[in-house]
Amino acid sequence: MPKSDIYEVAREAGVSISTVSRAFTRPELVSAKTRAKVLDVADRLDFNISRSATALKSGRTNRVAMLMNEEITSWFNTQTFACIESVMHPAGYDISLFQHIDTEANRHEFFSNLPIRRNVDAVFVASFAIDPHEVEQLKRIHVPIIGINTPSSEGFDATISIDDEQGMFTAAQHLINLGHQRIVYPCSEAAMLDSSIDARARGFIRACENAQQGKRPDLDWQVLSVPRGPEFADSALSALLALPEFPDAICCQMDMMAIPLVLKLGRYGHRAPRDYSIIGFDDSPYADTINLTTMRQDPYAMGRAAAVKALKLIEGKPLETPHEVVEAQLVLRGTDAPRDE
Amino acid sequence: MPKSDIYEVAREAGVSISTVSRAFTRPELVSAKTRAKVLDVADRLDFNISRSATALKSGRTNRVAMLMNEEITSWFNTQTFACIESVMHPAGYDISLFQHIDTEANRHEFFSNLPIRRNVDAVFVASFAIDPHEVEQLKRIHVPIIGINTPSSEGFDATISIDDEQGMFTAAQHLINLGHQRIVYPCSEAAMLDSSIDARARGFIRACENAQQGKRPDLDWQVLSVPRGPEFADSALSALLALPEFPDAICCQMDMMAIPLVLKLGRYGHRAPRDYSIIGFDDSPYADTINLTTMRQDPYAMGRAAAVKALKLIEGKPLETPHEVVEAQLVLRGTDAPRDE
DNA sequence: TTGAAAGCGTTACCAA
DNA sequence: TTGGTAACGCTTTCAA
């Protein structure tokens, strides 16, 4: 078993363990020659600095936690994780992932046991709401807490969020401006506290009420709520087809709702934009392929921004703008058209 | 700063640090009363056992590495990561992710510096080929190496792979049996060494040559290779449409090729299964939505199996079946039909 | 059931 | 530029 320790390397290289350590982590303090010698011996003996020991000594853990709703396999979570990883990994951090912090049981388990206490240098909360009590609990780990798409920034050291309400307001407005009469907003029922979704619904409602009270008193709109779960798109499809009159515009909570609808409504003779306009939200995979008009959000940029903030906070540096809100962008493609008179 | 150490907890609880330690990690060795007391004090003082110290003391790192081609955002990588995580996390391991071990530069950097040496308890290699020299390098970290969809099991302590060659053979065979005459296999050019993809092409070719030499001497088939990159599906689309005669069957390297093709070919008047049959590979998102006939592989099950193997190997237990190969399943849906005479 | 103490592999201070 | 040494926070053996 050729796993050697720092003493062996020191002996073999004819130096002290201090020098071995420095050759790895403070190369500038060691003469080029000594350093080369040490690294050469170390490589031969399959030696490398132990991160655990470094962590212990330094008081840092070199690890951050990332809390998420549901699975990392969802589009937003994957994107966010990927770019936080791409910033944190080069900086020497591992990400300890906590999925499914959504059910009451899991939340309670997590926030009362607080397994990450004293074991991470920062915490990311990705795209879900935690209640004030939970934030309090989280604060007890005494490290920076960074939120991504959290409905509130209360209690967080930094947040970056998309403006869901305004984004969906814009989407609905766009549909209204196109002259559509009967607009439906299909959405899967909000998970407990998941107000990123709620905010979108609020934006839709506000746009419709605005229009109704203004120059479009005739506007006919409704929120079509279907149960959460893997079947939500099919549920929305059925609900839509069962409506007394098919809408001329559909404003979707997210692309994962819009894409199946566009695809499957076609089979029932409803073609966008010929028969109705439809708009999505997210610009997630295949939105471009099916030419879906949508509101784009950029989780990659958000994740990166969050990671950069975290790194600064870990270093104890102050943040110029701890809390940021970014706007979703309307991406016009081919599933919307003015209503023909 | 109420971050307290084990001594403070011990003092406050009126016990020794040994007892505090045991209260957390060996509760059965501590009287219920003492344990309750200790945990109570610990919670009040925001104390928790340090994973770094535990790791250092134990000689374990409580961390595994996962190496992958390209980004974690690809469907297969995300799925695999998610389920390895779901097994390793509860077992107390973090996953240190190394993305983009694909370019020559990154590979060299990784395999010669070997940053994970002495810093992980196992290594997962997800879905890409590493050359014999690289395997040798990897072995120098002296921990179990587990491969997922690696073309060879040479040098690995355990592997689980899908039989790409056989899977694509089955897919092509199916199309041939349906009576199709002109079969095209569009594929993006293999990344260097990425023979999971090559294996699929080989399966396609074998099925076609078999048929040709047997009862289908008239079979007309070809491999349509397009450059890698984000545009591969559009490149394949153009290439297909530029063919002297449009094929009556398309056998796709993967669903991410098949799905855009089905969607976009429709705009050019080619409808599956009316005008041609098409089959995918993977059963990735939206395959079911568009009713794509495809070969299903189950990265979730594979990841789980790989993680279980890793855990056993870390414990030093022997594996009954270190190397496993699973078959892809033909999922018949709606994009294939017998050729009408 | 509990306590004392050694040691895991580093880093950083102080000295040389 | 390099070496000696204490200390980081835990686990575990041995003793009580």
Side-chain angles (χ1 to χ4, degrees):
Chain A
M1 176 86 32
K3 262 182 181 170
S4 357
D5 63 11
I6 198 170
Y7 292 95
E8 219 169 308
V9 175
R11 180 158 25 82
E12 193 83 359
V15 298
S16 72
I17 61 163
S18 314
T19 301
V20 175
S21 171
R22 282 189 286 249
F24 277 91
T25 40
R26 291 236 178 307
E28 69 280 10
L29 299 182
V30 177
S31 77
K33 202 158 138 191
T34 311
R35 177 160 179 261
K37 173 83 184 160
V38 169
L39 294 186
D40 181 59
V41 170
D43 187 56
R44 248 182 36 233
L45 299 184
D46 286 342
F47 173 83
N48 192 11
I49 294 293
S50 150
R51 294 184 58 195
S52 304
T54 303
L56 177 58
K57 178 64 187 167
S58 71
R60 298 274 203 76
T61 66
N62 296 324
R63 179 167 41 226
V64 297
M66 182 164 174
L67 276 35
M68 55 177 64
N69 224 330
E70 310 191 327
E71 300 248 318
I72 190 186
T73 50
S74 78
W75 172 75
F76 187 88
N77 284 344
T78 308
Q79 295 290 321
T80 309
F81 178 88
C83 58
I84 288 188
E85 145 74 21
S86 75
V87 175
M88 299 308 285
H89 185 109
Y93 292 86
D94 289 324
I95 303 181
S96 202
L97 184 61
F98 291 80
Q99 302 182 74
H100 295 292
I101 307 293
D102 41 11
T103 66
E104 190 51 59
N106 289 355
R107 296 177 85 100
H108 182 78
E109 152 89 4
F110 181 84
F111 289 106
S112 53
N113 292 355
L114 238 34
I116 59 176
R117 191 194 270 170
R118 294 218 320 156
N119 280 313
V120 297
D121 299 327
V123 184
F124 293 93
V125 176
S127 205
F128 69 102
I130 63 182
D131 72 34
H133 171 68
E134 291 168 339
V135 177
E136 279 318 302
Q137 283 294 100
L138 212 44
K139 281 183 157 177
R140 301 182 59 191
I141 66 179
H142 306 292
V143 297
I145 306 175
I146 299 97
I148 302 160
N149 267 2
T150 50
S152 156
S153 61
E154 192 64 33
F156 288 85
D157 298 287
T159 53
I160 177 149
S161 306
I162 198 173
D163 191 341
D164 281 295
E165 207 272 351
Q166 179 60 34
M168 197 53 93
F169 178 88
T170 302
Q173 185 85 275
H174 173 64
L175 257 15
I176 294 167
N177 290 344
L178 251 21
H180 294 296
Q181 267 325 294
R182 297 182 311 288
I183 308 187
V184 174
Y185 180 85
C187 65
S188 79
E189 274 149 16
M192 167 192 44
L193 279 175
D194 187 350
S195 5
S196 153
I197 293 306
D198 293 347
R200 293 187 187 175
R202 284 197 305 276
F204 171 77
I205 294 170
R206 179 164 64 91
C208 292
E209 289 180 341
N210 262 10
Q212 242 174 352
Q213 285 149 24
K215 51 177 97 139
R216 295 290 302 279
D218 57 327
L219 189 71
D220 177 11
W221 60 272
Q222 71 172 295
V223 171
L224 201 61
S225 186
V226 299
R228 273 173 80 76
E231 306 290 293
F232 72 90
D234 282 337
S235 307
L237 178 71
S238 325
L240 240 15
L241 291 172
L243 250 25
E245 193 174 13
F246 195 76
D248 55 11
I250 302 177
C251 187
C252 290
Q253 185 187 32
M254 51 183 168
D255 285 358
M256 280 179 62
M257 173 70 89
I259 293 170
L261 286 182
V262 169
L263 262 16
K264 296 189 173 177
L265 280 171
R267 300 185 202 153
Y268 294 91
H270 300 288
R271 293 254 150 65
R274 189 192 65 186
D275 308 313
Y276 69 102
S277 287
I278 184 168
I279 187 168
F281 202 115
D282 283 341
D283 199 22
S284 62
Y286 293 114
D288 58 340
T289 302
I290 69 158
N291 221 4
L292 179 71
T293 289
T294 193
M295 299 299 303
R296 171 183 296 155
Q297 68 167 320
D298 187 351
Y300 207 89
M302 290 182 31
R304 174 166 297 271
V308 169
K309 284 174 195 289
L311 250 16
K312 282 203 185 140
L313 287 169
I314 290 174
E315 311 255 290
K317 292 182 193 154
L319 254 32
E320 358 48 72
T321 334
H323 304 288
E324 284 180 71
V325 174
V326 304
E327 297 295 321
Q329 303 298 323
L330 175 58
V331 179
L332 295 172
R333 285 198 278 240
T335 55
D336 59 317
R339 186 190 185 211
D340 32 69
E341 300 306 318
Chain B
M1 176 86 32
K3 259 185 184 170
S4 355
D5 62 11
I6 199 170
Y7 291 95
E8 222 169 304
V9 175
R11 179 157 26 82
E12 193 83 359
V15 297
S16 72
I17 61 162
S18 316
T19 300
V20 175
S21 169
R22 284 189 283 248
F24 278 91
T25 40
R26 292 237 178 305
E28 69 281 10
L29 299 183
V30 177
S31 77
K33 203 158 139 191
T34 312
R35 177 161 178 261
K37 174 83 183 160
V38 169
L39 294 184
D40 183 58
V41 171
D43 188 55
R44 250 183 33 235
L45 300 184
D46 285 342
F47 173 83
N48 193 10
I49 294 293
S50 150
R51 293 184 57 196
S52 304
T54 304
L56 178 57
K57 178 64 188 171
S58 70
R60 297 275 201 75
T61 67
N62 296 324
R63 180 166 42 227
V64 295
M66 181 164 174
L67 315 186
M68 56 176 63
N69 225 330
E70 310 190 328
E71 301 248 317
I72 190 185
T73 50
S74 78
W75 172 75
F76 187 88
N77 284 343
T78 308
Q79 295 290 322
T80 309
F81 179 87
C83 57
I84 288 187
E85 145 74 24
S86 75
V87 175
M88 299 308 286
H89 186 109
Y93 292 86
D94 289 323
I95 303 181
S96 201
L97 184 61
F98 290 79
Q99 301 183 72
H100 295 292
I101 307 294
D102 42 12
T103 65
E104 189 51 58
N106 289 354
R107 294 178 87 100
H108 183 78
E109 152 89 4
F110 181 84
F111 289 106
S112 52
N113 292 354
L114 236 34
I116 59 176
R117 192 194 269 170
R118 292 219 320 158
N119 280 312
V120 297
D121 299 328
V123 184
F124 293 94
V125 176
S127 204
F128 70 102
I130 63 181
D131 70 34
H133 172 66
E134 290 168 340
V135 177
E136 278 318 301
Q137 283 294 100
L138 211 45
K139 281 184 157 176
R140 300 183 59 191
I141 66 180
H142 306 292
V143 297
I145 306 175
I146 299 96
I148 302 159
N149 267 4
T150 50
S152 157
S153 62
E154 191 63 34
F156 288 84
D157 297 287
T159 53
I160 177 150
S161 306
I162 198 174
D163 192 340
D164 281 295
E165 207 271 351
Q166 179 60 33
M168 196 53 92
F169 178 88
T170 302
Q173 186 85 274
H174 174 63
L175 256 16
I176 293 167
N177 290 344
L178 251 22
H180 294 296
Q181 264 328 292
R182 295 182 313 287
I183 308 187
V184 173
Y185 180 85
C187 65
S188 78
E189 275 150 15
M192 167 192 44
L193 277 176
D194 186 348
S195 4
S196 155
I197 293 306
D198 293 348
R200 292 187 187 176
R202 284 197 305 276
F204 171 77
I205 294 170
R206 180 163 65 90
C208 292
E209 288 180 341
N210 263 10
Q212 244 174 351
Q213 285 150 23
K215 51 178 100 138
R216 294 291 301 280
D218 57 326
L219 189 72
D220 177 13
W221 60 273
Q222 70 172 294
V223 172
L224 202 62
S225 186
V226 299
R228 273 172 80 75
E231 307 290 292
F232 72 89
D234 281 337
S235 306
L237 178 70
S238 325
L240 240 16
L241 292 172
L243 250 25
E245 194 174 13
F246 195 77
D248 55 13
I250 302 177
C251 187
C252 289
Q253 185 187 33
M254 52 183 167
D255 286 358
M256 282 180 61
M257 173 70 89
I259 293 170
L261 286 181
V262 169
L263 262 16
K264 296 188 173 179
L265 281 171
R267 300 185 203 153
Y268 294 90
H270 301 288
R271 292 254 149 65
R274 188 193 65 186
D275 308 313
Y276 69 102
S277 288
I278 184 168
I279 188 168
F281 201 116
D282 283 342
D283 199 22
S284 63
Y286 293 114
D288 58 341
T289 303
I290 70 160
N291 220 4
L292 179 70
T293 289
T294 193
M295 299 301 302
R296 171 182 295 155
Q297 67 167 323
D298 187 350
Y300 206 89
M302 289 181 36
R304 172 165 299 271
V308 169
K309 284 174 195 289
L311 250 16
K312 282 203 185 140
L313 287 169
I314 290 173
E315 311 253 292
K317 292 182 194 152
L319 255 31
E320 358 46 71
T321 334
H323 303 288
E324 284 180 69
V325 173
V326 304
E327 297 295 321
Q329 303 298 323
L330 174 59
V331 180
L332 294 172
R333 285 199 278 240
T335 54
D336 59 316
R339 185 189 186 211
D340 32 67
E341 299 308 316

